[in-house]
């Protein structure tokens, strides 16, 4: 069995966001593998280690620097990596285009049986791209998964719904997206980081995968930081007194109680 | 006249809060004909209630089973039809599941988790948080067909009232090919009937400052008095003090309640990412330097074990009066 994991390179979660010339500045910001994609990569490697798969391949759509994120996945234990890029893909609001490109690359990478991904990219917060690609590819999906078994031509997964969980089965090939309780991603060891440098990383253009990108569904017309808060009104006094005063303020001033 | 189709989620009787908010947004779009899609057991009964929200036509699928991606996608595709249509849904686990696939089937763009919407079909503008609420982007689309999911609690609930009985278009349960079929084997309900964090009006949240699993017992009476949901930081989850369902933040739930009370939470950027859009934030923390105070509206610098019980009593008094 072959497993493909889609990953996106994103800012580290500590990053302070700044707007520069109408775009989000990436100056001085450390980039990482989208945390949910990292859970997906870990899961794929675990499946391979337990004998459930022969090959783990990672795929990203991203500029040259996204190669670093792929190298990290290779160092974790993935066998090969693919990166697709075209400068036209840099525009925001293009989830439809990304889904088309992802589906095109995944089509070219066939045969594979399991597609793993994060349930959302923490930067654009869309939860659209890989799910949309799954429809184009004609495969079922189980999203936001915290426990996964693969075997007998199917996946059995525990998926998170709003306020409850479900155990769900789907036939392979299928898409499974990862939530945070799925596993704890490993840190690549130094020898594995060295080994990863020799693993194959293939770069494709849109032409290579036979896709024309088309125009994005949305264009960005504005970008702003959230309005700065002026700091809390600190309620002074002995703890018990302050508590009573606070309750009062919430009732009479903030009107939230 | 443009069509707006709202996916309405329900429990067989009541309409989910986020869907009511979506119906409100639909009604605010000038000149739109508002239609609804209702799927599940009791769909017909729910459909009949929708006239009060200005819905003139309901596409109803009477369906007995658990949520299934293929059924929902197929039903939504039939309801959307061929022409121009703005499809609205609350950004719930169901919508997150079927909306992207619907987008692929209808070959139309989708935007998710928005907090503002203006314009009308053919020229819509939305605002949405990116980088976990550390920035907001405004996006515009001129597409005639479009799917938009709305962040729960980011929009006001409309008043229901008036409106005649909507026309009902019954849709047969769509066939799903075997290769696309997902089967629910078991539903795992939580032990307690907790209020869902994402739709809660008030959240009482605890972090490492509560000192241990028992520490959350100090928060429970306050949670009860306020009819609140219980949240937590990731550190408290990692310590094993509370289940991951309660985690608020970048890798937890994103919430926007009217009132968020952070007890013994430092306010790390990843925690703030999930709660900074709350309307009113209260922080109780012994450390005056804790970053949570930077985004809080009100704060008390003290031991939460002294503050919370007294605070609870004071609120109970206000509620009783
Ligand atoms: C990739 C990534 C994702 C993450 N995602 C999340 C996320 O989704 N959600 C999240 O919350 N965190 C997340 N984190 C973790 C985050 O960085 C912080 O470690 C975490 O939020 C800290 O939790 P805390 O505030 O409970 O603990 P601490 O930072 O230890 O703070 C405890 C606070 O309690 C106060 N305190 C102690 N005793 C008392 C008392 N008796 N009375 C009053 N105050 C008291 C202290 O002054 C302190 O401010 C993530 C981290 C990473 C790297
Ligand atoms: N540029 C990309 N390259 C590869 N995979 C991506 C890309 N964007 C999104 N994905 C995948 O789709 C998932 C959901 O992303 P999003 O829809 O952007 O929230 C991510 O967790 C990735 O696995």
């Amino acid at each position: 069995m072959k497993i493909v994991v889609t990953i996106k390179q994103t800012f580290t979660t500590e990053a302070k966001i700044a707007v520069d010339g109408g775009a989000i500045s990436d100056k001085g910001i450390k980039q990482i593998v989208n945390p949910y994609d990292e859970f997906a990569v870990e899961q794929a490697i675990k499946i391979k280690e337990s004998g459930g798969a022969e090959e783990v391949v990672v795929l990203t759509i991203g500029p040259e620097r996204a190669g670093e994120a792929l190298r990290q996945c290779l160092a974790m234990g993935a066998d090969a990596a693919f990166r697709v890029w075209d400068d036209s893909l840099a525009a925001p609001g293009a989830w439809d285009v990304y889904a088309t490109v992802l589906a095109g690359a995944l089509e070219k990478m066939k045969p594979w049986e399991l597609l793993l991904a994060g349930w959302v990219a923490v930067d654009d917060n869309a939860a659209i791209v890989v799910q949309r690609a799954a429809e184009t590819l004609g495969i079922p999906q189980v999203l936001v998964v915290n426990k996964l078994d693969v075997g007998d031509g199917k996946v059995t997964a525990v998926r998170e719904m709003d306020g409850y969980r479900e155990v769900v089965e789907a036939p392979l090939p299928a898409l499974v997206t990862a939530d945070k309780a799925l596993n704890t991603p490993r840190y690549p060891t130094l020898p594995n980081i060295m080994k990863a440098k020799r693993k194959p990383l293939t770069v494709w253009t849109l032409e290579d995968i036979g896709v024309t990108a088309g125009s994005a569904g949305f264009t960005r017309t504005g970008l702003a930081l959230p309005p700065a808060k002026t700091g809390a009104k600190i309620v002074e006094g002995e703890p018990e007194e302050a508590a009573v005063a606070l309750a009062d303020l919430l009732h009479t001033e903030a009107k939230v109680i | 006249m443009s069509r707006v189709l709202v996916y309405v989620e329900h429990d067989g009787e009541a309409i989910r809060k986020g869907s009511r908010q979506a119906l409100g947004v639909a009604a605010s779009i000038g000149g739109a004909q508002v239609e609804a899609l209702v799927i599940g057991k009791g769909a017909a009964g729910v459909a009949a209630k929708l006239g009060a929200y200005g819905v003139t036509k309901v596409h109803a699928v009477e369906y007995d089973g658990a949520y299934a991606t293929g059924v929902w996608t197929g039903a939504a595709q039939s309801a959307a039809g061929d022409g121009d249509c703005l499809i609205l849904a609350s950004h719930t686990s169901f919508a997150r599941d079927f909306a992207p696939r619907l987008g692929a089937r209808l070959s139309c763009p989708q935007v998710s988790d928005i907090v503002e919407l203006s314009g009308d079909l053919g020229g819509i503008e939305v605002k949405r948080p990116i980088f976990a609420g550390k920035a907001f982007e405004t996006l515009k689309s001129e597409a005639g067909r479009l799917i938009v999911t709305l962040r729960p609690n980011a929009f006001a609930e409309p008043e229901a009232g008036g409106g005649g009985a909507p026309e009902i278009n019954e849709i047969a349960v769509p066939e799903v090919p075997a290769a696309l079929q997902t089967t629910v084997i078991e539903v795992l309900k939580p032990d307690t009937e907790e209020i869902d964090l994402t739709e809660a009006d008030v959240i009482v949240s605890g972090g490492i400052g509560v000192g241990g699993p028992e520490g959350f017992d100090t928060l429970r009476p306050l949670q009860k008095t306020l009819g609140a949901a219980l949240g937590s930081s990731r550190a408290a989850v990692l310590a094993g003090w509370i289940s991951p369902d309660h985690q608020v933040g970048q890798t937890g739930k994103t919430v926007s309640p009217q009132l968020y009370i952070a007890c013994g939470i430092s306010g790390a950027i990843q925690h703030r990412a999930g709660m900074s859009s709350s309307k009113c934030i209260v922080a109780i923390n012994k450390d005056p330097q804790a970053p949570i105070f930077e985004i809080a509206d009100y704060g008390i610098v003290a031991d939460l074990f002294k503050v919370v019980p007294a605070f609870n009593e004071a609120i109970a008094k206000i509620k009783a009066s």
Side-chain angles (χ1 to χ4, degrees), chain A residues 11-17 19 24 35-36 39 92-93 95-96 119 122-128 131-132 134-136 138-144 156 158-171 173 179-181 217-227 229-235 239-240 242-244 246-251 253-257, chain B residues 16 66-67 69 73 91-94 96-97 100-101 103-105 107-113 125-126 128-141 146 151 178-190 196 226 244-245 247 250-252 258-259 269-270 278-282 293-302 306-307 310-311 314-315 318-319:
Chain A
F11 289 11
T12 160
T13 56
E14 281 94 15
K16 227 181 145 65
I17 300 299
V19 176
I24 300 272
Y36 293 109
F39 297 123
W95 300 285
D96 44 358
W119 81 264
V122 299
D123 52 2
D124 68 27
N125 177 39
I128 293 176
Q131 299 85 327
R132 187 174 169 123
E135 175 70 27
T136 306
I139 62 170
Q141 67 189 25
V142 189
L143 306 188
V144 201
T156 310
V158 178
R159 79 169 163 202
E160 294 289 324
M161 305 298 275
D162 295 336
Y164 65 99
R165 296 189 170 82
E166 276 175 354
V167 186
V168 185
E169 249 177 38
D179 195 10
K180 63 178 177 297
F218 288 86
T219 44
R220 192 186 265 170
T221 50
L223 189 62
L225 301 182
K229 287 234 182 180
T230 48
K233 181 179 213 170
I234 300 292
V235 187
E240 294 79 3
V244 175
L246 173 62
D248 206 45
L249 281 170
L250 294 179
H251 182 56
E253 191 177 271
K255 297 190 171 39
V256 286
I257 295 177
Chain B
R16 220 173 144 172
Y67 172 81
T69 311
T73 315
H91 194 60
T92 63
S93 55
F94 288 10
R96 283 200 297 266
D97 194 273
R101 302 188 70 114
R105 276 204 205 173
S107 297
C108 76
Q110 180 196 351
V111 63
S112 60
D113 206 19
E125 200 162 58
V126 298
R128 60 189 303 276
I130 52 173
F131 292 92
K134 288 185 258 181
F136 286 83
E137 65 177 356
T138 312
L139 298 172
K140 200 177 162 106
S141 178
L146 198 60
R151 171 166 291 195
L180 282 179
Q181 248 164 41
T182 47
T183 317
V184 175
I185 311 211
E186 200 187 343
V187 177
L188 312 167
K189 291 269 175 202
D196 183 27
L226 287 167
D245 308 345
Q247 184 185 317
Q250 183 143 22
T251 50
Q258 294 291 309
L259 175 60
I269 194 147
Q270 296 95 348
S278 305
K279 184 163 170 263
C280 178
I281 297 171
V282 169
F293 288 120
E294 290 164 21
I295 58 154
D297 298 282
Y298 298 95
I300 295 182
V301 181
K306 292 200 179 125
V307 176
F311 184 53
I315 286 173
I318 291 171
K319 292 234 164 193

Side-chain angles (χ1 to χ4, degrees), chain A residues 199-213:
Chain A
K199 289 183 180 175
L201 193 165
T202 308
V203 181
W204 281 334
T205 62
L206 293 184
E207 202 167 63
D208 290 332
I209 58 171
V211 169
T212 27

Side-chain angles (χ1 to χ4, degrees), chain A residues 12-14 32 35-36 180, chain B residues 206-211 232-236 238 241 247-253 263-274 284-288 290-292 300 302-306:
Chain A
T12 160
T13 56
E14 281 94 15
I32 58 166
Y36 293 109
K180 63 178 177 297
Chain B
I208 286 295
V210 306
S232 80
S233 71
R234 165 139 124 167
L238 288 181
W241 300 350
Q247 184 185 317
V248 171
Q250 183 143 22
T251 50
K253 302 233 159 61
C263 308
I265 294 177
S266 61
I269 194 147
Q270 296 95 348
H271 187 79
R272 288 154 50 164
I284 303 168
N285 195 307
K286 0 187 239 207
D287 174 9
I292 190 79
I300 295 182
D303 181 0
L304 73 94
F305 292 98
K306 292 200 179 125

Side-chain angles (χ1 to χ4, degrees), chain A residues 91-132:
Chain A
W95 300 285
D96 44 358
V97 175
Y98 271 73
T100 306
V101 174
L102 218 51
L106 286 162
E107 195 65 53
K108 187 172 165 101
M109 290 163 86
K110 277 180 175 174
W112 41 261
E113 287 72 37
L114 180 60
L115 174 60
L116 284 171
W119 81 264
V120 67
V122 299
D123 52 2
D124 68 27
N125 177 39
I128 293 176
V129 171
V130 75
Q131 299 85 327
R132 187 174 169 123

